[in-house]
């Protein structure tokens, strides 16, 4: 019984793969650009750079701290992240990278 289930699962995976490939090929034939950076992504990237620029004076003041310590200090000062959440070391590193 298990062999039958395994065979049916393999067949279903193969069918899903074929449908996906056919759908992508049809989209490509219609002229749809698949993947890559689009206008929305470019706009979001620019908005992130602008938010980072607004934080430049504060980040210059905290430049001597590690990312973790800078995040703790930003949270202590109740500075909201660009998304309005809590600061983490990774968030600090991303903003520092945008400012570099």
């Amino acid at each position: 019984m298990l062999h039958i289930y395994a065979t049916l699962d393999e067949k279903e995976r193969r069918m899903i793969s074929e449908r996906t490939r056919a759908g992508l090929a049809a989209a490509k034939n219609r002229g749809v650009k698949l993947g890559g950076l689009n206008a929305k992504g470019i706009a979001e990237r620019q908005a992130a750079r602008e938010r980072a620029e607004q934080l430049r004076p504060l980040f210059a003041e905290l430049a001597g701290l590690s990312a973790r310590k800078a995040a703790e200090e930003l949270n202590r000062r109740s500075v909201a992240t660009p998304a309005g959440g809590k600061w983490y070391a990774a968030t600090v590193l991303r903003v520092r990278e945008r400012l570099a």
Side-chain angles (χ1 to χ4, degrees), residues 47-93:
R49 286 181 181 151
E50 290 170 6
R51 286 190 304 267
E53 277 302 322
Q54 293 171 353
L55 295 169
R56 185 179 288 280
L58 189 55
F59 271 74
E61 183 182 329
L62 302 175
L65 299 177
S66 69
R68 186 176 60 79
K69 290 289 185 187
E72 289 173 4
E73 182 62 21
L74 290 165
N75 288 325
R76 189 185 66 72
R77 294 183 187 187
S78 299
V79 175
T81 64
K86 184 178 175 187
W87 285 95
Y88 294 96
T91 316
V92 170
L93 291 173

Side-chain angles (χ1 to χ4, degrees), residues 23-58:
L24 289 171
K28 192 172 182 180
N29 288 338
R30 288 191 311 268
V32 174
K33 183 181 174 196
L34 303 173
L37 195 57
N38 58 22
K40 183 179 179 186
I42 293 169
E44 288 176 355
R45 182 175 57 187
Q46 184 58 34
R49 286 181 181 151
E50 290 170 6
R51 286 190 304 267
E53 277 302 322
Q54 293 171 353
L55 295 169
R56 185 179 288 280
L58 189 55

